[in-house]
Amino acid sequence: DVKVTQSSRYLVKRTGEKVFLECVQDMDHENMFWYRQDPGLGLRLIYFSYDVKMKEKGDIPEGYSVSREKKERFSLILESASTNQTSMYLCASSLSSWGGTGTYEQYFGPGTRLTVT
Amino acid sequence: QKEVEQNSGPLSVPEGAIASLNCTYSDRGSQSFFWYRQYSGKSPELIMFIYSNGDKEDGRFTAQLNKASQYVSLLIRDSQPSDSATYLCAVMGAYKYIFGTGTRLKVLA
């Protein structure tokens, strides 16, 4: 079974703090993703990575950065947390890169509910 | 027009009935289609994926894809109260996954 783990289930931070969210997958997947999920807005892609040290902006990258130093680990960084970044953050991974003949299903971690006060 | 559209529901069905969930998408080049189940407060869980036109069955679940009409559906047979959740449709186009906002399903005991 694919396992995607996230460092914290719940997190409370203050405005202006630097926040690190960690994600680890154990299935040697190529692609990793960070989403946030808000009521009525669905899942929105923040960043994704298709290889070590590679990253691509998603739909809402502003205020976030990412790091992928090892294949199994993908970190999301909030440089200076703001109250509008209060959300559920979901990490996902998938096996194959785009355009290949492999499988593309995404598997999600349990999520981190971040509250910024 | 949203790229992936789902009726938000709630869709209420009695226990034992067939639940039918629908999803339409706008990008004709989309190749891969996924259904996720999400319980309240939990993360999405993959339940089905389909790449070719037609039906794909897995236990009580059947995914149906019609690329000409640009819709994908999920049928849940013999619905159980434990199936009550939000079901997300996801579509993979070129270099991008797009998720619908989900349909809330309520199975009434």
Side-chain angles (χ1 to χ4, degrees):
Chain A
D1 274 356
V2 175
K3 188 138 188 211
V4 181
T5 57
Q6 294 183 231
S7 50
S8 304
R9 191 75 181 88
Y10 299 94
L11 210 51
V12 179
K13 295 292 183 180
R14 291 193 181 274
T15 302
E17 279 193 82
K18 192 168 186 175
V19 181
F20 293 86
L21 303 182
E22 300 278 325
C23 175
V24 177
Q25 50 93 5
D26 67 355
M27 287 302 291
D28 202 34
H29 280 181
E30 301 283 341
N31 299 335
M32 296 187 76
F33 306 82
W34 276 107
Y35 295 89
R36 62 178 284 178
Q37 187 175 32
D38 302 286
L41 297 177
L43 281 160
R44 292 182 291 167
L45 181 64
I46 303 171
Y47 269 97
F48 68 97
S49 167
Y50 53 88
D51 201 352
V52 176
K53 296 193 187 293
M54 306 303 289
K55 60 186 179 184
E56 293 286 341
K57 292 181 180 179
D59 298 318
I60 52 162
E62 297 78 20
Y64 304 94
S65 62
V66 291
S67 171
R68 194 167 180 200
E69 296 297 318
K70 293 185 177 181
K71 191 174 186 179
E72 67 271 18
R73 189 178 297 268
F74 192 34
S75 302
L76 179 69
I77 302 147
L78 286 65
E79 298 291 342
S80 177
S82 65
T83 54
N84 63 13
Q85 292 178 310
T86 291
S87 187
M88 169 73 101
Y89 288 88
L90 292 160
C91 175
S93 71
S94 69
L95 178 60
S96 300
S97 296
W98 312 110
T101 56
T103 56
Y104 307 101
E105 309 90 79
Q106 290 192 35
Y107 296 90
F108 284 85
T112 295
R113 186 164 294 281
L114 173 67
T115 302
V116 183
T117 62
Chain B
Q1 181 194 4
K2 289 184 182 176
E3 293 179 89
V4 176
E5 290 209 54
Q6 296 181 256
N7 189 317
S8 60
L11 172 67
S12 295
V13 300
E15 184 175 357
I18 296 175
S20 177
L21 304 160
N22 299 311
C23 171
T24 59
Y25 60 94
S26 60
D27 181 2
R28 282 198 171 275
S30 300
Q31 294 296 321
S32 307
F33 306 86
F34 311 90
W35 282 100
Y36 290 84
R37 176 176 62 199
Q38 187 173 25
Y39 293 113
S40 181
K42 303 293 186 183
S43 62
E45 173 193 8
L46 179 70
I47 52 172
M48 291 286 289
F49 57 89
I50 186 166
Y51 298 152
S52 304
N53 269 334
D55 294 2
K56 179 182 178 184
E57 189 174 314
D58 184 1
R60 294 187 296 113
F61 300 98
T62 299
Q64 298 175 316
L65 175 60
N66 184 322
K67 288 187 179 179
S69 301
Q70 294 175 245
Y71 82 78
V72 57
S73 60
L74 180 71
L75 301 178
I76 306 175
R77 287 181 299 282
D78 189 25
S79 295
Q80 300 297 309
S82 58
D83 295 325
S84 297
T86 297
Y87 289 80
L88 304 176
C89 169
V91 173
M92 194 186 89
Y95 307 103
K96 195 174 178 181
Y97 291 88
I98 302 168
F99 286 82
T101 52
T103 298
R104 192 154 67 95
L105 174 67
K106 295 172 100 173
V107 180
L108 308 171

